[in-house]
Amino acid sequence: MPNLIAVGLAEIKWSASPGDVLTAFSLGSCVGVAIWDPERRAGAMAHVVLPQSPSGWTESMADFGKYADTAVRHLHNRFVRNGTGVAGMRVWIAGGAHVLRGVDLPGGDIGASNTKAVLEALRQLGFNEPRKSVGEDYGRTMRLYVGEGRATVYSVARGESEI
Amino acid sequence: MNFLQFQESAKQGLESARATLSVFTGKELRLDAVTTDYVELSKVPLLSGSPEDVVLSSYVTFSGDAEGQLMILFRPDSAQKLADYLVPELFRSLSPDEIPSLLDSLMVEVANIVGSSVLNKVADRGGMRLVPTPPVMVRDMSGAILGSAMSYSGTVGNQVYVAYIKFSLGDGKASFEVVFLPKPSARKNGLWVTK
């Protein structure tokens, strides 16, 4: 029986237990970032809410997972500290949708901004190009099967499929 | 505006909406319970049960003296119960494939009445002008809708304000949630509710 670990808004979770399934439920404009280390067979997932940390943000604020830049940097630093380079990692991202369709918001399409910011941060820190299920206008649940090194995405209309 | 004032004005708004809906439909509706509380950021997707549960959500933004969002979430079964109670003759005459779009339209009207009543009472209490956009209806996972709204609110703190209301119906209960998300910038105009 898989052990489902929920990764809530603005959270980052880690696991090296083969039975664990890291899960970011119902991503809308948020972006789930999943990273898996094939050597250690360990993985991590972040549930990013906003593209950019505010000016004056410091690590003492601890909400690393909320912003694309700080979440990806935190993931990077943690893998590097564990003695693993990031070049061989498997990377997936999901979400970044415009769920509130029909609404013209002053801030624009935050889902697209989140996706762009996550991709940019991953590229800057040397991660592989991620597999993606992003954009459009529907919610998704992202799962990382830690023991298998695979990620899936589930939506109401489309069911579950590999990313 | 303190938390008690917000609670009172939200409840007055819901009572006003109940009365309006009763008059419009000729059906007696009772406002069962109103609970208003703070919710942590990470718990927002759980407000309507499982985050993967599908809900109908009416969504408006408001501007004027303060900015923010107001959502009203209906579970499909509750929406259907409410519709069956309010306008049974209408739904009996429809084919099954016609029901979802009419249900959405009806819920937009209900949400419009509830949302504008709540906003008006909160604005009156705060001595401000709040102008809502026309509502749009979204049908998706509740967590995806609520999480998106959180992102758009730009909320930097970890608490938002939520009013729950329940209408009592003849042989069952239909419940729905009102989610009130002022932008942080609303703080300067007194709409950032504090305990």
Side-chain angles (χ1 to χ4, degrees):
Chain A
M1 189 72 177
N3 178 35
L4 193 148
I5 297 174
V7 184
L9 278 169
E11 289 183 337
I12 296 178
K13 298 251 173 101
W14 301 77
S15 173
S17 299
D20 284 352
V21 182
L22 298 175
T23 305
F25 283 107
S26 53
L27 299 158
S29 61
C30 297
V31 172
V33 184
I35 297 177
W36 191 73
D37 177 353
E39 284 187 24
R40 294 171 186 264
R41 304 188 74 75
M45 184 179 284
H47 190 145
V48 171
V49 181
L50 293 168
Q52 181 71 44
S53 55
S55 61
W57 186 91
T58 65
E59 293 207 354
S60 64
M61 292 176 179
D63 52 352
F64 308 100
K66 189 186 286 186
Y67 309 103
D69 54 339
T70 56
V72 174
R73 193 183 321 133
H74 187 74
L75 291 167
H76 172 270
N77 292 347
R78 176 78 179 261
F79 277 116
V80 169
R81 196 164 60 237
N82 285 352
T84 313
V86 296
M89 302 288 171
R90 292 185 197 171
V91 186
W92 303 262
I93 69 170
H98 185 51
V99 172
L100 301 171
R101 47 195 170 270
V103 183
D104 187 17
L105 291 153
D109 185 349
I110 289 203
S113 299
N114 280 337
T115 300
K116 185 179 174 188
V118 165
L119 288 170
E120 178 63 16
L122 289 169
R123 189 189 62 74
Q124 282 184 352
L125 292 169
F127 285 99
N128 290 330
E129 176 71 16
R131 295 188 178 193
K132 303 186 279 284
S133 173
V134 294
E136 302 192 63
D137 62 0
Y138 59 89
R140 300 163 168 91
T141 290
M142 182 187 207
R143 292 186 171 85
L144 173 63
Y145 293 82
V146 175
E148 303 164 52
R150 68 187 180 91
T152 65
V153 68
Y154 165 82
S155 69
V156 174
R158 295 163 179 80
E160 187 167 17
S161 60
E162 299 271 335
I163 304 176
Chain B
M1 183 182 293
N2 65 34
F3 189 63
L4 264 180
Q5 291 169 327
F6 174 75
Q7 274 184 310
E8 284 170 11
S9 52
K11 190 170 183 177
Q12 286 167 2
L14 296 170
E15 173 55 31
S16 169
R18 180 208 64 75
T20 304
L21 283 169
S22 289
V23 169
F24 277 8
T25 60
K27 299 286 173 63
E28 188 55 37
L29 287 168
R30 202 175 74 219
L31 188 60
D32 254 1
V34 180
T35 309
T36 313
D37 208 351
Y38 288 89
V39 178
E40 289 179 17
L41 174 67
S42 61
K43 302 292 188 296
V44 164
L46 306 173
L47 284 177
S48 193
S50 165
E52 286 187 311
D53 285 352
V54 175
V55 293
L56 280 170
S57 174
S58 157
Y59 176 87
V60 303
T61 60
F62 57 87
S63 56
D65 291 333
E67 294 181 332
Q69 306 163 90
L70 189 102
M71 281 170 293
I72 301 173
L73 308 177
F74 305 88
R75 294 175 179 283
D77 59 337
S78 279
Q80 188 64 58
K81 276 185 190 173
L82 189 59
D84 287 342
Y85 182 73
L86 294 177
V87 283
E89 61 289 343
L90 186 59
F91 280 83
R92 272 199 297 269
S93 66
L94 294 174
S95 64
D97 58 333
E98 291 174 306
I99 288 176
S101 61
L102 190 70
L103 191 60
D104 284 8
S105 299
L106 180 66
M107 289 305 110
V108 166
E109 294 305 325
V110 172
N112 205 8
I113 291 168
V114 173
S116 57
S117 299
V118 170
L119 268 186
N120 285 341
K121 293 294 182 185
V122 170
D124 287 349
R125 175 57 73 100
M128 64 184 86
R129 188 179 62 98
L130 299 177
V131 183
T133 58
V136 295
M137 189 60 82
V138 180
R139 188 189 289 258
D140 208 326
M141 295 176 186
S142 64
I145 295 168
L146 290 163
S148 295
M150 285 299 301
S151 296
Y152 286 114
S153 77
T155 305
V156 290
N158 285 341
Q159 294 186 315
V160 295
Y161 319 106
V162 179
Y164 296 93
I165 59 176
K166 290 183 179 176
F167 283 95
S168 176
L169 304 178
D171 58 351
K173 290 186 191 300
S175 63
F176 52 99
E177 289 96 35
V178 179
V179 183
F180 179 70
L181 287 171
K183 273 195 163 185
S185 59
R187 184 193 301 259
K188 67 179 185 297
N189 292 319
L191 196 57
W192 192 257
V193 186
T194 55
K195 255 186 177 168

